[in-house]
Amino acid sequence: VTDRVRVELGPRSYEVVVGSGALDELERLFSGRRRVAIVSHAHLGAAKGDVVREPLVRAGVENQLFGMDEGEEAKSLATVERLCRDFARWGLLRSDAVVAFGGGVVGDTAGFAASVYHRGVDVVQVPTTLLAMVDSAIGGKTGVNLPEGKNLVGAFHQPRAVLIDPALLDSLPDRELRCGLGEVVKYALLGDHALTRLLEERSDALLARDPAVLREVVTRCVAAKAAVVAADEQERTGRRASLNLGHTAGHAIEQATGYALAHGEAVAVGLVFATHLASALERIPPGDVDRAERLVHGLGLPVTAPTGLRVEDLLALMARDKKSAGALTFVLPGPNGIERVDDPDRAAVDKAFAAIGVTS
Amino acid sequence: VTDRVRVELGPRSYEVVVGSGALDELERLFSGRRRVAIVSHAHLGAAKGDVVREPLVRAGVENQLFGMDEGEEAKSLATVERLCRDFARWGLLRSDAVVAFGGGVVGDTAGFAASVYHRGVDVVQVPTTLLAMVDSAIGGKTGVNLPEGKNLVGAFHQPRAVLIDPALLDSLPDRELRCGLGEVVKYALLGDHALTRLLEERSDALLARDPAVLREVVTRCVAAKAAVVAADEQERTGRRASLNLGHTAGHAIEQATGYALAHGEAVAVGLVFATHLASALERIPPGDVDRAERLVHGLGLPVTAPTGLRVEDLLALMARDKKSAGALTFVLPGPNGIERVDDPDRAAVDKAFAAIGVTS
């Protein structure tokens, strides 16, 4: 069984295929092509690369695996340069293509390499982590880090397809699964009430990686992200900024802990912070805060920040966020849905910080 | 007096302004902006940077000069990384902009840095060499070299405007001026008969850098390039490939001489080669060859290759050209205009090589 979600972007439209047969789509997609470069972590490529190679072989496409390291350190221009040089030495042409097989680091880095090699070759994203499946693999944002900041260099380069087989999550460490669930909760809080109920009622099956529940959860998140991307491909209208729900505080907490708290965990706390802040600003009823906290907690995610963080430090980190030009910007739920709120009342901010265990 | 040529690309349309007041346009373009990063060669920035800075200061825009080295060596991912890091440390935001002030190396490198910094900031091209004015600054092709080949990494990133003051050519070395004229001849041979006559009748004034003649020549070339770019923005339909007239042989000759022959000089020989080949294939009358040779010679450009080059070596270099997937491809004039010709008759190829002094 596979679900299909179309990302409507005119000539750059593509499908996200979710389900146990999703990777078979590679055979149809690349039939008639000459060569495909598969980019992956070395160990992942060795352990599971065949799920990508077999449909390519059936399509009669030459393919080769190009390894890269894991972790944010590998998400660099140095890796992009090495990949492009390796592509060139292998003889990859502009009419050939790249498959990014891995988590967010591989997807962002290989996607960016594909976007600049010969000024752009086709890329298909095959995400292998929950975080990448529900978020980073969809929408065409690619890029790498600089010492000065994350994702400072990149491109909008839409994939030709995103192929998601939730069975690839079988070997994902529990903590990485939970991190993905942080982003899943975000989509629920963005207004998908059916997803909220699903997460409330089936959290045990989800944490046990029940394939049918995973597929439904991933498809719902993909559909939500696809709608936002279709409305605001290049983050120009502000609509795509709604995806930053929970991320203003989340990023700051992630940085303040020296990344001891992982992205998805920090986002979970950031989502709880955002609902507290929205409630303190009387944008949502207090009951919504309780429900969000229970949802986050029920998925094994933290609802408070680690001890020892200070309000002033987090505010300073938020102010340095690359997208802000001075103002302290949040995206918050409210009576009209998710909206951008600039420089909210300081007392409300302090109250929300206190609710997640951060004091002055 | 300024001429204006519009590059029609829908939402990415922009104007190329040619003439003595062209750079004043910076004041209007950037009025209301916060910051502009000017990228240039260190010595050019010091000697002439004020022509860019003054209109920015009048517009009330903060600006800073970011230097880079000259030459193909500097056209690298390392330079792009350094520029992006410098932009980040200076606090350049996504809503800010970049001005590329220099020749083709600066335009390609700074244009690419602008295309990837924050996934794309606005860039205005202010070319200072004839080659950049008539070719590389227009059309949005940006990129850098890898050890494996030239321009292997890059992006299509259309500028917001191209501002050309031919007076900036006053200090250009004679040889660099001649190199630009190699590309100018290409536009004439692409079918601009008025440009051909202008080059035949006013070659002395042109070589003496008469401002009015320079402006007319540059504007004619810009208009020709703008039409091709508008028809085929991302080199997909083959129309933009017509701009490679003279470049198949030209690139090979340039490489075979170890770049002792400069790009524009090699292109000039390549143009002569292409007309000989077209004549040998009976696509054009022999009289067209004589006229092209006289045109090239009259502008002080070579009509034959340096001694010592061999047919087989040049053919091997051509076969390695990144755009070809095996076939030997030329773009040649003919009864229906410029067309792509794959694997032409070998006897005709040898005859054309012999005509430019290259034998087996």
Side-chain angles (χ1 to χ4, degrees):
Chain A
V1 189
T2 55
D3 298 326
R4 286 174 179 264
V5 176
R6 191 170 165 81
V7 185
E8 289 288 354
L9 290 166
R12 291 178 301 288
S13 296
Y14 55 95
E15 285 196 328
V16 185
V17 186
V18 187
S20 60
L23 271 62
D24 292 337
E25 191 81 5
L26 287 167
E27 182 179 352
R28 194 188 64 75
L29 272 168
F30 287 126
S31 169
R33 293 271 189 151
R34 196 185 69 106
R35 280 189 184 180
V36 167
I38 305 165
V39 179
S40 190
H41 302 310
H43 81 266
L44 180 68
K48 300 200 174 178
D50 282 350
V51 298
V52 174
R53 304 185 83 143
E54 279 168 9
L56 293 174
V57 168
R58 287 201 300 276
V61 179
E62 284 184 80
N63 64 83
Q64 187 162 308
L65 195 67
F66 296 86
M68 59 172 281
D69 289 342
E70 293 185 80
E72 289 286 328
E73 299 286 296
K75 204 174 136 174
S76 66
L77 272 172
T79 303
V80 170
E81 178 159 26
R82 193 185 51 69
L83 287 173
C84 288
R85 293 188 61 182
D86 288 348
F87 294 165
R89 280 197 293 266
W90 188 48
L92 197 75
L93 298 175
R94 192 174 173 197
S95 50
D96 296 329
V98 171
V99 170
F101 180 59
V105 168
V106 165
D108 286 2
T109 310
F112 184 48
S115 87
V116 298
Y117 181 69
H118 278 312
R119 296 197 184 90
V121 298
D122 287 344
V123 66
V124 168
Q125 294 281 353
V126 181
T128 60
T129 66
L130 183 58
L131 190 61
M133 289 177 182
V134 300
D135 184 20
S136 60
I138 299 139
K141 275 171 95 165
T142 70
V144 296
N145 304 324
L146 293 179
E148 285 71 21
K150 287 175 76 170
N151 298 315
L152 276 179
V153 169
F156 289 95
H157 186 57
Q158 298 296 340
R160 299 292 297 211
V162 183
L163 309 179
I164 302 176
D165 184 351
L168 288 168
L169 299 177
D170 280 354
S171 53
L172 194 71
D174 279 339
R175 190 175 178 196
E176 280 201 56
L177 186 79
R178 275 203 308 277
C179 283
L181 291 173
E183 294 288 340
V184 169
V185 171
K186 180 186 79 179
Y187 292 107
L189 298 182
L190 280 172
D192 185 339
H193 303 300
L195 178 60
T196 302
R197 281 192 300 278
L198 187 66
L199 296 177
E200 287 171 342
E201 292 162 12
R202 306 300 308 273
S203 61
D204 289 349
L206 185 56
L207 291 171
R209 309 184 191 202
D210 177 289
V213 176
L214 271 174
R215 180 167 55 77
E216 188 175 349
V217 165
V218 169
T219 300
R220 285 203 159 275
C221 294
V222 165
K225 175 128 190 193
V228 172
V229 168
D232 182 16
E233 183 180 5
Q234 300 207 349
E235 247 173 359
R236 302 276 175 202
T237 70
R239 174 78 195 277
R240 193 156 175 166
S242 69
L243 296 173
N244 287 330
L245 180 65
H247 282 63
T248 308
H251 276 156
I253 292 167
E254 189 183 1
Q255 288 175 265
T257 64
Y259 300 91
L261 213 62
H263 179 74
E265 295 166 333
V267 166
V269 180
L271 289 167
V272 173
F273 172 86
T275 54
H276 279 295
L277 180 55
S279 169
L281 293 167
E282 300 181 350
R283 296 174 55 87
I284 58 171
D288 285 11
V289 181
D290 298 337
R291 191 175 180 186
E293 272 190 331
R294 277 197 306 274
L295 190 60
V296 168
H297 184 70
L299 293 168
L301 287 160
V303 295
T304 56
T307 53
L309 302 188
R310 290 161 42 87
V311 170
E312 292 308 326
D313 296 341
L314 294 179
L315 287 174
L317 286 165
M318 290 176 194
R320 259 177 44 192
D321 195 283
K322 66 174 175 170
K323 279 147 198 145
S324 68
L328 195 56
T329 297
F330 297 91
V331 291
L332 296 177
N336 307 313
I338 304 296
E339 289 176 324
R340 176 175 152 166
V341 177
D342 287 340
D343 293 321
D345 176 57
R346 178 59 194 264
V349 172
D350 284 339
K351 197 172 163 191
F353 271 125
I356 62 163
V358 178
T359 51
S360 292
Chain B
V1 188
T2 56
D3 297 327
R4 285 175 180 262
V5 176
R6 190 169 165 83
V7 185
E8 288 289 353
L9 290 166
R12 292 178 300 288
S13 296
Y14 54 94
E15 286 198 325
V16 184
V17 185
V18 187
S20 60
L23 272 62
D24 291 336
E25 191 80 5
L26 286 167
E27 181 179 352
R28 195 187 62 77
L29 273 168
F30 287 125
S31 169
R33 294 269 191 153
R34 196 185 69 106
R35 278 190 185 179
V36 168
I38 305 165
V39 179
S40 189
H41 303 311
H43 80 266
L44 179 68
K48 299 198 173 177
D50 282 350
V51 299
V52 173
R53 304 186 82 145
E54 279 168 7
L56 293 174
V57 168
R58 286 200 301 274
V61 178
E62 284 184 81
N63 65 83
Q64 187 163 309
L65 196 67
F66 296 86
M68 60 173 281
D69 288 343
E70 291 186 83
E72 289 287 328
E73 299 286 297
K75 204 174 136 176
S76 67
L77 273 173
T79 303
V80 170
E81 179 159 25
R82 194 185 52 68
L83 286 173
C84 288
R85 294 188 61 181
D86 288 349
F87 293 165
R89 280 197 293 267
W90 188 47
L92 197 73
L93 298 176
R94 192 172 173 199
S95 51
D96 296 328
V98 171
V99 170
F101 179 60
V105 168
V106 164
D108 287 1
T109 310
F112 183 48
S115 86
V116 297
Y117 182 69
H118 279 310
R119 297 197 183 91
V121 298
D122 287 344
V123 65
V124 168
Q125 295 280 353
V126 181
T128 61
T129 66
L130 183 58
L131 191 60
M133 289 176 182
V134 300
D135 185 18
S136 59
I138 298 138
K141 276 171 94 167
T142 70
V144 297
N145 305 325
L146 293 180
E148 285 71 22
K150 287 174 76 168
N151 297 315
L152 276 180
V153 169
F156 290 95
H157 186 58
Q158 298 296 341
R160 299 291 299 211
V162 183
L163 309 179
I164 302 176
D165 184 350
L168 288 168
L169 299 177
D170 280 353
S171 53
L172 194 70
D174 279 339
R175 190 173 177 197
E176 279 201 58
L177 186 79
R178 274 202 308 276
C179 283
L181 291 173
E183 295 287 341
V184 169
V185 171
K186 180 186 78 177
Y187 291 108
L189 298 182
L190 281 173
D192 185 337
H193 303 300
L195 178 59
T196 303
R197 280 193 301 277
L198 187 65
L199 295 177
E200 287 171 343
E201 291 163 12
R202 306 300 307 275
S203 62
D204 289 348
L206 185 55
L207 292 171
R209 309 184 191 201
D210 177 289
V213 175
L214 272 174
R215 180 167 55 77
E216 188 174 350
V217 165
V218 169
T219 300
R220 284 202 159 275
C221 295
V222 165
K225 174 128 192 193
V228 172
V229 168
D232 182 15
E233 182 180 6
Q234 300 207 348
E235 246 172 0
R236 302 277 174 201
T237 70
R239 174 78 194 277
R240 193 154 173 167
S242 68
L243 296 174
N244 287 329
L245 180 65
H247 283 62
T248 308
H251 277 156
I253 292 167
E254 189 182 1
Q255 288 175 264
T257 64
Y259 300 91
L261 213 62
H263 178 74
E265 294 165 334
V267 166
V269 180
L271 289 166
V272 173
F273 172 86
T275 55
H276 278 295
L277 180 54
S279 170
L281 294 167
E282 299 183 349
R283 296 174 55 86
I284 58 170
D288 285 10
V289 181
D290 298 337
R291 192 174 179 188
E293 273 190 332
R294 276 198 306 274
L295 191 59
V296 169
H297 184 70
L299 293 169
L301 286 160
V303 295
T304 56
T307 53
L309 301 190
R310 290 161 42 88
V311 171
E312 294 307 325
D313 297 340
L314 294 179
L315 287 175
L317 286 166
M318 289 177 195
R320 259 179 41 194
D321 195 283
K322 66 173 175 171
K323 277 148 199 142
S324 67
L328 196 59
T329 298
F330 296 91
V331 291
L332 297 176
N336 306 313
I338 304 295
E339 289 175 324
R340 176 176 152 167
V341 177
D342 286 341
D343 292 322
D345 176 58
R346 178 60 194 264
V349 173
D350 284 339
K351 196 171 164 191
F353 271 127
I356 61 162
V358 178
T359 52
S360 294

